């Protein structure tokens, strides 16, 4: 038996995945981290065409130039970020983007500020890079929004980076403009990197998304097609940063995956140039479900923030056995503690499931779990 490296030994496999393996396949799954919609037809067709046209060879390491040009336009129009095709890397999902940031910039002794609660991969990527995690509290009092003053308090001379994620997994919180701007200013004053994970950018209700890269040069902006276009299995995302940062990340990307899949790149190109009606429909439907699940949970007596984005709610549920009881009754949820110590006494519920299933799930919780 060969010993694994110490840095991997300390990492746990995802609790969420483990939960799915043990629960009844007929249960209503509110544990899901991906849209329950299909990839829009025009995108599917573009991918089919790409295979028929034998577009199955290596592409430039950074990705097809046509795709990078469209990504540049997207950053300008949606985010007010001025970039150029040389400063874009097309990645195998935002997951690869995150890994590239960690590998290129984090090493032993570096402190990395992470939202607590936060997406599980952040912690794992920092640990694989031998960095030290410094949690920043995102409290229910602040509707789980990360606040600039809480970030400032955690900055030391070892602070190398912070991960921002708005809208957030697991809470659905959307950052306020003044916090985005203040943290961007801090990154310039105190010289640290912002890794801005904007994968849920388009899944947002009555609220505007702000990108820190508009206000600071020390930002790597991560995004992708998984959530907006329901393309999770196609593993396609992208990042932008200034040219010095791109060069370092390109080294990892080039020697790791060489380039993102041709089929997925062609689908991504179509996603950006094609109609956006499917995205708008999906977001409207998510909002209808958000309204339903928040109302039902509050009616049950579980304090729940009216999350402004993503497709998660994070109710306060102090019953330690809730997740297990719910699973036994046929509703899968995820314990909040899986996302950090501030997730204690909370449960993550995803509403990437049909309106009818969410209604049924809420009936089950009300009849058999809360009052059972
Ligand atoms: N960031 C967050 C916050 C996520 O929730 C996810 C997916 N669950 C990712 C990144 C990874 O997305 P991708 O499929 O693009 O790798």
């Amino acid at each position: 038996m060969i010993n694994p490296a110490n840095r991997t030994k300390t990492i746990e496999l995802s609790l969420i995945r483990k939960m799915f393996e043990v629960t009844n396949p007929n249960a209503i799954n509110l544990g899901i981290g991906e849209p329950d919609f299909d990839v829009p037809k025009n995108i599917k067709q573009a991918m089919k065409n790409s295979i028929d046209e034998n577009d199955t060879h290596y592409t430039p390491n950074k990705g097809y130039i046509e795709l990078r040009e469209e990504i540049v336009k997207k950053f300008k129009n949606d985010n007010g970020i001025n970039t150029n095709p040389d400063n874009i890397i097309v990645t195998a999902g935002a997951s690869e983007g995150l890994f590239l940031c960690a590998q290129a910039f984090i090493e032993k002794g570096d402190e990395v500020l992470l939202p607590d609660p936060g997406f599980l991969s952040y912690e794992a990527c920092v640990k694989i890079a031998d960095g030290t995690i410094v949690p920043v509290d995102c409290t229910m009092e602040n509707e789980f929004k990360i606040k600039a003053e809480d970030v400032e308090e955690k900055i030391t001379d070892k602070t190398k980076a912070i991960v921002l994620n708005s809208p957030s997994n697991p809470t659905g919180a959307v950052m306020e403009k003044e916090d985005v701007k203040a943290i961007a200013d801090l990154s310039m004053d105190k010289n640290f990197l912002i890794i801005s994970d904007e994968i849920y950018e388009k899944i947002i209700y009555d609220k505007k998304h702000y990108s820190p890269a508009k206000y600071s040069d020390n930002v790597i902006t991560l995004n992708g097609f998984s959530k907006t276009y329901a393309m999770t299995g196609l593993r396609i995302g992208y990042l932008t940063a200034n040219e010095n940062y791109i060069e370092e990340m390109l080294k990892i990307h080039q020697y790791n995956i060489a380039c993102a899949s041709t089929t997925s790149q062609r689908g991504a190109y179509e996603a950006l140039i094609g109609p956006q009606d499917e995205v708008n429909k999906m977001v409207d439907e998510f909002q209808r479900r958000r309204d339903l699940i928040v109302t039902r949970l509050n009616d049950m007596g579980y304090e729940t923030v009216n999350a402004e984005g993503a497709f998660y709610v994070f109710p306060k549920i102090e019953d330690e056995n809730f997740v297990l009881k719910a699973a036994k009754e046929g509703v899968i949820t995820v314990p909040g503690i899986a996302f950090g110590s501030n997730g204690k006494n909370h449960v993550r519920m995803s509403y990437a499931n049909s309106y009818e299933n969410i209604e049924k799930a809420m009936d089950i919780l009300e009849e058999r779990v809360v009052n059972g």
Side-chain angles (χ1 to χ4, degrees):
M1 174 67 190
I2 310 294
N3 265 338
N6 280 327
R7 62 176 183 277
T8 41
K9 262 200 242 171
T10 61
I11 294 165
E12 296 269 349
L13 283 171
S14 162
L15 246 174
I16 308 178
R17 301 247 159 243
K18 275 189 202 159
M19 291 258 321
F20 293 167
E21 284 159 19
V22 295
T23 37
N24 155 9
N26 298 321
I28 299 174
N29 195 342
L30 304 185
I32 318 175
E34 63 175 327
D36 55 313
F37 298 92
D38 294 326
V39 173
K41 278 204 184 83
N42 59 315
I43 300 178
K44 285 188 194 165
Q45 194 56 51
M47 292 192 289
K48 287 180 197 165
N49 293 350
S50 87
I51 292 176
D52 289 340
E53 290 160 14
N54 293 311
D55 188 358
T56 51
H57 301 274
Y58 289 128
T59 76
N61 293 126
K62 289 180 182 172
Y64 277 132
I65 182 70
E66 298 82 355
L67 173 56
R68 284 184 283 135
E69 281 167 354
E70 287 307 317
I71 293 171
V72 167
K73 287 187 206 160
K74 185 253 166 247
F75 273 129
K76 187 164 177 41
N77 296 338
D78 292 349
N79 311 103
I81 299 173
N82 289 316
T83 183
N84 64 66
D86 282 343
N87 291 351
I88 306 281
I89 303 178
V90 177
T91 56
S95 302
E96 194 217 351
L98 185 65
F99 190 76
L100 296 182
C101 296
Q103 288 301 305
F105 292 98
I106 311 302
E107 60 193 340
K108 208 175 178 64
D110 288 341
E111 293 179 354
V112 182
L113 276 51
L114 298 184
D116 176 1
F119 177 47
L120 291 168
S121 295
Y122 303 147
E123 188 178 323
C125 281
V126 173
K127 280 187 178 169
I128 294 170
D130 264 340
T132 303
I133 291 155
V134 177
V136 182
D137 295 337
C138 301
T139 60
M140 195 172 203
E141 227 174 27
N142 290 331
E143 299 180 328
F144 303 111
K145 296 170 194 229
I146 197 162
K147 303 308 278 178
E149 54 271 24
D150 295 333
V151 170
E152 191 163 13
E153 221 170 69
K154 299 286 174 104
I155 294 171
T156 70
D157 54 3
K158 297 203 180 87
T159 305
K160 185 69 170 281
I162 181 171
V163 178
L164 297 180
N165 174 219
S166 179
S168 148
N169 175 8
T171 64
V174 175
M175 286 179 71
E176 298 299 330
K177 182 184 182 184
E178 61 261 28
D179 291 308
V180 172
K181 176 138 191 343
I183 297 169
D185 290 346
L186 278 173
S187 76
M188 294 298 282
D189 294 347
K190 311 267 180 176
N191 203 33
F192 62 85
L193 195 61
I194 297 177
I195 299 165
S196 182
D197 177 351
E198 304 184 11
I199 189 106
Y200 292 103
E201 170 196 9
K202 297 278 178 182
I203 305 175
I204 192 163
Y205 323 112
D206 307 322
K207 189 90 187 165
K208 196 167 157 24
H209 168 80
Y210 294 94
S211 296
K214 193 174 169 188
Y215 311 107
S216 161
D217 288 334
N218 283 343
V219 183
I220 302 170
T221 307
L222 306 179
N223 212 324
F225 296 86
S226 285
K227 316 288 173 174
T228 311
Y229 302 97
M231 289 169 67
T232 45
L234 290 154
R235 313 305 310 124
I236 184 89
Y238 52 93
L239 60 82
T240 192
N242 76 40
E243 62 194 48
N244 301 326
Y245 297 162
I246 288 288
E247 196 174 312
E248 295 312 307
M249 289 186 284
L250 187 62
K251 293 176 194 170
I252 319 284
H253 174 75
Q254 188 171 81
Y255 293 118
N256 187 15
I257 73 157
C259 66
S261 130
T262 47
T263 316
S264 303
Q265 287 195 55
R266 287 279 296 266
Y269 177 73
E270 174 61 28
L272 291 178
I273 64 162
Q276 303 295 308
D277 333 6
E278 294 297 317
V279 179
N280 298 335
K281 264 196 247 161
M282 179 178 78
V283 175
D284 287 347
E285 177 56 18
F286 275 141
Q287 182 163 9
R288 203 167 78 91
R289 297 174 190 174
R290 190 274 318 255
D291 292 345
L292 168 71
I293 199 165
V294 169
T295 307
R296 292 291 307 264
L297 288 166
N298 278 329
D299 287 351
M300 280 180 231
Y302 295 131
E303 193 187 338
T304 307
V305 173
N306 194 27
E308 292 162 321
F311 39 69
Y312 308 104
V313 284
F314 207 61
K316 184 168 189 180
I317 300 183
E318 281 159 314
D319 174 0
E320 276 180 17
N321 296 317
F322 177 92
V323 171
L324 254 175
K325 279 197 269 181
K328 276 195 196 134
E329 298 295 347
V331 179
I332 302 174
T333 58
V334 183
I337 190 77
F339 303 95
S341 58
N342 286 325
K344 192 168 185 272
N345 295 332
H346 290 270
V347 173
R348 188 189 77 172
M349 296 184 194
S350 154
Y351 45 93
N353 207 320
S354 69
Y355 194 91
E356 293 66 35
N357 275 346
I358 296 168
E359 271 184 322
K360 263 190 232 157
M362 292 301 117
D363 289 344
I364 293 173
L365 295 184
E366 188 162 7
E367 285 156 24
R368 297 192 236 146
V369 180
V370 187
N371 302 321

